[in-house]
Amino acid sequence: MSGLTILAFLAVTGVSSSETSDCSYLSLLTHLNLIQTNSSMSIMRPVKNWTTTTLVYLDMVLYGILEVDEMSQTVTTHIQTQMKWRNEFLRWNSSNFCEIKTLTVPRKMLWVPDVAIQEDTSDTGSIQNSPLLTLTNDGLVIANGRQRLTTTCQFNLYLFPFDTQRCRITFSSMNYDAESMKLSTFNSEATLSLVSEQIMITQGEWQLLNMTIIYFSFDIQNVSQSRLIYTVFIMRKPMLYVINLIVPLLYFLILDLASFFIRGEKLSFKVTVLLSISVLLLILQDMLPSTEDKLPLMASFCVSVFTLVGLSILETMLMDFLLGLDDYCGNKAQNAVNSQEVEIQLEGNSHKDPSAAEERGQVGPVMKPSEGELLMLILEEVKVARQETGRQVKDDRKPGRYARLAQIIDSVYFFLYFLTIATYLMYMNVEWLGSYLSNNKE
């Protein structure tokens, strides 16, 4: 009998417990007073004491880096956010509702933190918030959302195209101060960076390095506000710019250096090289913004090369002028010497053959033989002196005084040209390789 009594008691107890417990979501919604429209749950901060601070956890992950516009200084990304906070009015004992621990309700029924991004320049149509909120039995509310986010970013293009950019995404409340609502993260920055790298769909020419998180409070007009800052570090993939910009520029530079060894017409060749470099400068102008305070290293290198090639054209023109001047002076001196020799020859002939002079109608006084010999001797000495002077002038002009000056100028300019280019290239390699290796270590 005792065994039957125990079984009967257990059966009655099970029936009574099944009657008291309800496993439907409707009963849970009724228990939480969410069946009827309750506007107070959507307009007021969900705390029982107004001095209690609502701690909002906001985690952000990157799905892709869609576009980076250097001219407008903006970055377009695809992000997913998840906010978590406590609602002190929405708690239940899961054992009373058949172990129901989570519940989904429409977003408009509950209070949601008014968190905005300060650097956001995208339109409202790019925001896709989930229409439902997830509730847990301990009062935790979870809200998810996605957005095609376009934010402003101050670029530092000094090391272009081996640059690394740091862009901030700042979350803050539009109406609540830090005493009412405080922002933080649920997961660590290392976890969020790792998740973003693993789920990254597209990056384009940029690579995500890491993300850092800073949350703090500051005062604005005696009102303390809480802010959460995600700093995203992205690195440019430079291979495309190396092939399309740096390699052609170095090629033109080598051609201009090789033009110093050209014998003959090289002015047109240097002008062609200068025009080719100007085309690269136009391409670079379309890539870099005009608002950059510090001239990028690549741009200064292009301008330096353009200036050196322009100076080399002026140096070539000076060389041609000096060589032409040397030829002109040499021809003039040679003509003068030849004319002097002809004059001396004519004078000597006229004194040697006086009968010829008489035949040509020239009548002069009859000189004595001693006086004629003396005159011939004087003429011979003058002839020898003129020939010696002409020979010295000819010897001076033979190697070319202006030609030697042109060779000296050409050698000095080539040395300075090569030294300047080598120094600048070494400096650029140190800067670029140092930045690139440090980014890879990170």
Side-chain angles (χ1 to χ4, degrees):
M1 289 295 294
S2 61
L4 294 175
T5 303
I6 294 173
L7 290 175
F9 177 75
L10 292 175
V12 172
T13 305
V15 171
S16 61
S17 62
S18 63
E19 291 178 356
T20 55
S21 61
D22 194 347
C23 296
S24 65
Y25 288 108
L26 182 60
S27 61
L28 179 57
L29 291 174
T30 304
H31 173 74
L32 297 175
N33 195 21
L34 295 177
I35 295 297
Q36 298 179 353
T37 303
N38 190 357
S39 60
S40 60
M41 295 295 291
S42 61
I43 62 175
M44 72 173 187
R45 195 164 51 89
V47 291
K48 295 180 180 179
N49 188 348
W50 72 273
T51 59
T52 303
T53 302
T54 302
L55 182 60
V56 179
Y57 300 98
L58 197 155
D59 290 350
M60 183 194 75
V61 293
L62 286 175
Y63 271 98
I65 303 173
L66 304 181
E67 183 182 1
V68 177
D69 191 352
E70 291 89 351
M71 299 297 293
S72 61
Q73 304 270 306
T74 57
V75 179
T76 302
T77 55
H78 183 200
I79 65 171
Q80 179 176 356
T81 59
Q82 185 181 73
M83 289 190 297
K84 298 180 181 180
W85 67 93
R86 298 284 178 181
N87 192 319
E88 298 180 0
F89 300 101
L90 300 178
R91 295 180 179 178
W92 70 90
N93 188 357
S94 61
S95 61
N96 295 334
F97 297 93
C98 300
E99 299 300 327
I100 298 178
K101 295 183 178 180
T102 59
L103 179 66
T104 55
V105 296
R107 189 185 187 95
K108 61 182 180 180
M109 294 182 62
L110 299 179
W111 176 85
V112 178
D114 59 338
V115 177
I117 300 175
Q118 292 188 352
E119 297 85 0
D120 187 11
T121 60
S122 53
D123 54 2
T124 57
S126 62
I127 303 175
Q128 298 179 356
N129 291 321
S130 175
L132 300 176
L133 300 176
T134 302
L135 305 178
T136 60
N137 59 337
D138 57 352
L140 184 66
V141 185
I142 303 174
N144 296 315
R146 287 190 177 187
Q147 183 177 357
R148 188 180 187 273
L149 179 64
T150 301
T151 57
T152 58
C153 182
Q154 184 67 35
F155 290 158
N156 183 10
L157 299 173
Y158 178 70
L159 296 177
F160 173 86
F162 298 91
D163 54 330
T164 300
Q165 303 302 331
R166 180 178 63 181
C167 300
R168 291 185 175 183
I169 301 177
T170 305
F171 295 91
S172 63
S173 176
M174 301 178 65
N175 298 295
Y176 293 98
D177 56 12
E179 296 180 354
S180 300
M181 190 178 72
K182 185 178 180 180
L183 295 175
S184 182
T185 57
F186 190 79
N187 296 294
S188 63
E189 61 182 26
T191 302
L192 295 176
S193 297
L194 181 61
V195 171
S196 297
E197 292 177 0
Q198 291 178 350
I199 66 175
M200 185 74 67
I201 299 175
T202 177
Q203 301 184 61
E205 64 173 307
W206 295 87
Q207 178 182 356
L208 176 65
L209 295 179
N210 63 344
M211 292 192 305
T212 59
I213 301 173
I214 302 175
Y215 35 88
F216 61 95
S217 299
F218 69 100
D219 295 334
I220 298 179
Q221 297 179 355
N222 297 327
V223 177
S224 179
Q225 289 187 350
S226 178
R227 288 191 177 182
L228 175 64
I229 300 178
Y230 281 83
T231 305
V232 181
F233 293 86
I234 55 177
M235 181 180 66
R236 191 192 303 268
K237 299 177 182 178
M239 187 57 63
L240 180 64
Y241 298 97
V242 170
I243 296 175
N244 293 334
L245 189 62
I246 298 178
V247 172
L249 186 62
L250 291 177
Y251 178 71
F252 291 139
L253 185 60
I254 293 173
L255 287 179
D256 189 62
L257 286 173
S259 65
F260 282 91
F261 303 98
I262 296 177
R263 298 302 177 187
E265 179 61 29
K266 58 181 179 179
L267 182 61
S268 59
F269 179 80
K270 286 181 173 291
V271 171
T272 304
V273 173
L274 185 66
L275 293 177
S276 302
I277 296 176
S278 64
V279 173
L280 292 180
L281 287 176
L282 293 177
I283 296 175
L284 188 64
Q285 180 183 0
D286 296 335
M287 297 178 182
L288 302 178
S290 59
T291 57
E292 187 70 17
D293 296 333
K294 192 174 183 181
L295 190 66
L297 194 61
M298 186 65 199
S300 61
F301 177 68
C302 291
V303 173
S304 301
V305 172
F306 187 84
T307 304
L308 289 174
V309 174
L311 291 177
S312 69
I313 293 178
L314 296 178
E315 186 264 345
T316 302
M317 296 172 64
L318 179 61
M319 289 276 295
D320 292 341
F321 173 75
L322 292 177
L323 293 176
L325 183 62
D326 186 78
D327 294 338
Y328 172 76
C329 293
N331 294 332
K332 185 177 180 180
Q334 185 65 34
N335 293 332
V337 171
N338 293 335
S339 62
Q340 290 175 359
E341 292 179 353
V342 171
E343 291 176 358
I344 292 172
Q345 185 67 32
L346 291 175
E347 291 177 359
N349 294 333
S350 62
H351 287 283
K352 286 181 181 180
D353 193 5
S355 61
E358 292 178 357
E359 292 178 357
R360 289 193 298 266
Q362 296 179 356
V363 180
V366 178
M367 297 182 181
K368 297 180 180 180
S370 59
E371 293 179 355
E373 293 177 358
L374 180 61
L375 183 58
M376 289 298 298
L377 181 61
I378 294 174
L379 289 175
E380 288 294 333
E381 290 180 358
V382 172
K383 180 180 178 181
V384 171
R386 287 185 176 181
Q387 289 179 352
E388 185 67 24
T389 303
R391 189 178 297 108
Q392 291 179 358
V393 173
K394 185 177 180 181
D395 292 338
D396 292 337
R397 299 296 183 183
K398 184 176 181 180
R401 181 175 59 183
Y402 294 107
R404 290 199 303 271
L405 179 61
Q407 291 177 358
I408 294 174
I409 293 175
D410 189 54
S411 300
V412 171
Y413 184 76
F414 176 78
F415 176 76
L416 294 177
Y417 193 117
F418 183 80
L419 183 62
T420 303
I421 293 300
T423 304
Y424 210 98
L425 287 177
M426 290 178 62
Y427 174 72
M428 290 176 60
N429 287 331
V430 170
E431 292 288 336
W432 282 345
L433 290 178
S435 175
Y436 190 74
L437 292 177
S438 63
N439 292 331
N440 287 335
K441 289 180 180 179
E442 295 177 358

